[in-house]
Amino acid sequence: MKFGVVVFPGSNCDRDMYDSLLQDLGQEVVMLWHKDTDLSAFTTEDCIVLPGGFSYGDYLRCGAIARFSPIMQSVTKFAGEGGKVFGVCNGFQVLCESHLLPGALLRNANQQFISKNVYLRGVGDQGCALKVPIAHGEGRYYADDLTLDQLEANGQIIYRYTDEDGNITAAANPNGSLRNIAGICNATRNVFGMMPHPERACSEALGNIDGKTILEALFINAKEKPAAKKAGLVNF
């Protein structure tokens, strides 16, 4: 499987994602500049990644300017043809601004930037919670009730914030996201977005490889039930 990591002006997690996919997961990775438009080297079995950071300085709204970068037209077409697209943090914001995913990411409920480890679990997963870092000021997922109900009914909420034991509680919600939502996918399950940073939790040297489990379940070993079940993504 080949991954293309898009670099916008202001991206700062692109190399983290590159290193995690290449070194920790052994995948082929290509860096893509935001002015590139040619994705012909990628098939629908591959994945385009929009990394975290502060694209265009987060001016106007997070991701609102990046959505107009030349490559996003190609990414939108790629997704429409069934290609996989994954956005993390700022990348999730770009996907929402581009309407590849529903809803929006608003200012954190405490009006402060938050950088810490949090716990997640996949919807329907009864296993242990996964510990993954967050680092954002605008990560509060919001959508109207109809959209939220549709996400629930379609199984599009892929991760929720939990406590260490996997319990979904208000106290475990770091940013005020509605229904403790940490990550979602589109209806056809080929576009994924999440605020936590799995690429920052893929190395034994860092003392945490829970992020590796997420990436493997979403993309690399999606058809292998043990890995997918641990991350709560058996239906993906």
Side-chain angles (χ1 to χ4, degrees):
M1 186 173 186
K2 183 190 298 183
F3 289 83
V5 178
V6 178
V7 182
F8 298 102
S11 295
N12 67 3
C13 300
D14 45 301
R15 289 293 170 181
D16 292 350
M17 183 64 73
Y18 178 92
D19 288 344
S20 295
L21 292 169
L22 179 68
Q23 298 179 12
D24 299 319
L25 289 108
Q27 302 301 304
E28 181 181 356
V29 191
V30 178
M31 302 300 285
L32 300 170
W33 183 232
H34 75 113
K35 290 187 177 181
D36 295 337
T37 57
D38 184 6
L39 297 180
S40 61
F42 297 88
T43 73
T44 54
E45 296 300 316
D46 298 325
C47 179
I48 303 300
V49 182
L50 309 182
F54 304 90
S55 60
Y56 292 92
D58 275 353
Y59 296 118
L60 187 59
R61 292 185 311 275
C62 298
I65 301 177
R67 68 165 289 196
F68 294 106
S69 283
I71 199 169
M72 287 309 298
Q73 291 187 11
S74 300
V75 170
T76 300
K77 182 175 183 290
F78 181 75
E81 294 171 347
K84 299 175 181 64
V85 180
F86 182 42
V88 174
C89 198
N90 187 235
F92 186 11
Q93 295 162 343
V94 174
L95 289 176
C96 289
E97 288 287 342
S98 302
H99 306 297
L100 288 172
L101 289 175
L105 284 308
L106 306 181
R107 187 76 176 166
N108 295 342
N110 66 0
Q111 300 295 300
Q112 296 177 356
F113 188 90
I114 304 172
S115 180
K116 66 177 184 178
N117 285 319
V118 298
Y119 290 93
L120 319 170
R121 70 175 172 85
V123 175
D125 181 36
Q126 302 302 315
C128 297
L130 301 170
K131 183 171 71 173
V132 185
I134 58 171
H136 57 251
E138 294 83 15
R140 177 164 57 100
Y141 185 76
Y142 175 85
D144 59 62
D145 287 338
L146 177 60
T147 299
L148 291 169
D149 290 344
Q150 289 175 338
L151 291 175
E152 297 266 18
N154 296 336
Q156 291 174 241
I157 301 173
I158 58 174
Y159 282 107
R160 296 189 201 261
Y161 296 110
T162 72
D163 62 18
E164 189 171 359
D165 296 319
N167 301 307
I168 301 172
T169 66
N173 189 334
N175 52 33
S177 288
L178 295 182
R179 306 191 189 186
N180 280 49
I181 291 174
I184 63 172
C185 69
N186 65 345
T188 52
R189 287 171 166 72
N190 65 304
V191 179
F192 306 86
M194 62 188 301
M195 286 309 296
H197 287 268
E199 78 280 6
R200 297 185 183 180
C202 288
S203 173
E204 294 281 4
L206 298 177
N208 184 5
I209 58 170
D210 283 357
K212 186 175 180 180
T213 299
I214 291 173
L215 294 174
E216 287 178 335
L218 277 173
F219 304 110
I220 299 164
N221 296 320
K223 295 181 180 180
E224 295 181 13
K225 289 187 178 180
K229 186 175 182 181
K230 182 178 178 183
L233 295 167
V234 291
N235 294 323
F236 288 75

